Amino acid sequence: MAKGLLVTYALWAFGGPVGLHHLYLGRDSHALLWMLTLGGGGLGWLWEFWKLPGFVAQANRTQGRKQRLEEETPPLSLLRFTAQMTVGIYFGVVALISLSSMANFYIVGLPLAVGLGVLLVAAVGNQTSDFKSTLGAAFLMSPVFYGRPIAILPISLAASITAQKHRRYKASEESETISVRLYRLALAYLAFTGPLAYSVLCNTAATLSYMAETLGSFLSWFSFFPLLGRLLESVFLLPCRIWWLLVGDPGFTSRQFQEWEKLYEFVESFQDEKRQLAYQVLGLPEGATNEEIHHTYRDLVKVWHPDHNQHQREEAQRRFLEIQAAYEVLSQHKKPRASWR
């Protein structure tokens, strides 16, 4: 049955942020992406206003045209590549918050989550990519920055490049019933939101602390690039600004931005507590120089290395890991930081 443009616009207007218009057009991957990101943070939903006629025309193409497309290679798309990177990072952050307690998370859970995010964007519209190659690239890149949240970036980059390299048009398939499609979408949505909801509802304090730690790690890394840091801050504040433009709440600027300031203050205070504890572990006063930190770290590593403490190996292993973690925190603290306000 041919798809109507007016119906598509109506569904876009009333259910666009959750992908109802994409579900109507048979673009299930795009619908799922919008469900998980609320229309790309609102931006993607607004931007689609001018794209809907093309989506409708694509949905109404003949079967013969689809068969010819299978033999062609889609053109490179910077927008799709950027979206793959962004959604891969987004999936990775959600996995860090909800699944990081699982065994071998950084080897299995994290690359799987990031790879699936990249593949979801790769499957939007009439295109797709090679499942095994994309996930394989994500798993091969997982040892880079192992054990640190920043590992999401190289994993997402490798998976996105691989997905672009193996891009292709989707094969022709017989249409499925709406009940089967909804069932598949519901399972995918629950698989994404279930662990996160459990973590937030049943372990709220730990989840908030880990969110602050993850966000703090990303802010510390982006401090190397002040311009990129300011861009990232703008992205964080963008949903509030869009809401202000749409609703026009006169009290928005003072009230909502104060909430964002509280978030940054919470992240900064959490990082301060980590640094104070790190100074205590190394036995140094706050404000110690890089040379003092490095010299003390080398001395303590020699003293508490497990190979040198066979008579108290468990205690030495625990202290050795604490010393390494403290040194990493203080090393990050000494890096130049950008101004976030």
Side-chain angles (χ1 to χ4, degrees), residues 77-305:
S77 171
L78 179 60
L79 178 62
R80 187 179 290 262
F81 176 78
T82 304
Q84 287 171 343
M85 279 285 299
T86 304
V87 175
I89 293 172
Y90 170 59
F91 271 49
V93 171
V94 171
L96 274 170
I97 295 170
S98 56
L99 299 174
S100 58
S101 60
M102 65 179 286
N104 299 320
F105 168 75
Y106 282 93
I107 292 295
V108 179
L110 185 61
L112 179 61
V114 174
L116 289 176
V118 171
L119 283 169
L120 178 60
V121 178
V124 164
N126 62 346
Q127 296 186 27
T128 186
S129 188
D130 186 69
F131 183 84
K132 294 181 179 179
S133 298
T134 303
L135 285 185
F139 278 98
L140 288 174
M141 193 59 63
S142 61
V144 179
F145 298 111
Y146 175 80
R148 298 173 60 184
I150 201 63
I152 295 173
L153 292 178
I155 295 174
S156 182
L157 178 62
S160 299
I161 292 175
T162 305
Q164 283 290 310
K165 181 179 179 181
H166 295 276
R167 66 193 184 281
R168 64 175 186 271
Y169 287 108
K170 291 179 180 177
S172 301
E173 297 178 354
E174 296 182 1
S175 58
E176 297 178 322
T177 62
I178 187 65
S179 59
V180 173
R181 293 167 56 204
L182 288 175
Y183 176 72
R184 185 183 294 114
L185 284 175
L187 286 181
Y189 185 82
L190 287 175
F192 181 89
T193 59
L196 182 61
Y198 175 82
S199 180
V200 171
L201 295 177
C202 299
N203 202 6
T204 306
T207 301
L208 288 174
S209 296
Y210 200 83
M211 288 176 65
E213 182 179 3
T214 303
L215 181 57
S217 298
F218 271 96
L219 296 186
S220 298
W221 191 86
F222 279 109
S223 65
F224 278 114
F225 311 98
L227 181 61
L228 191 57
R230 289 192 291 272
L231 177 62
L232 185 63
E233 181 184 7
S234 300
V235 171
F236 282 143
L237 298 175
L238 191 59
C240 295
R241 289 171 176 156
I242 292 176
W243 179 261
W244 177 52
L245 290 174
L246 294 177
V247 178
D249 182 1
F252 171 84
T253 302
S254 60
R255 186 174 69 252
Q256 256 71 6
F257 275 92
Q258 285 178 359
E259 296 300 320
W260 282 100
E261 289 291 325
K262 290 178 182 179
L263 172 62
Y264 285 118
E265 290 173 1
F266 172 66
V267 172
E268 188 62 27
S269 65
F270 187 86
Q271 295 296 95
D272 287 339
E273 291 180 4
K274 286 179 61 180
R275 289 191 287 268
Q276 292 173 5
L277 181 59
Y279 280 119
Q280 294 176 11
V281 170
L282 296 182
L284 291 170
E286 293 190 28
T289 64
N290 283 331
E291 291 75 13
E292 292 173 334
I293 292 173
H294 185 66
H295 180 73
T296 304
Y297 166 73
R298 289 174 62 91
D299 290 343
L300 290 175
V301 163
K302 293 177 182 178
V303 172
W304 288 104
H305 197 285

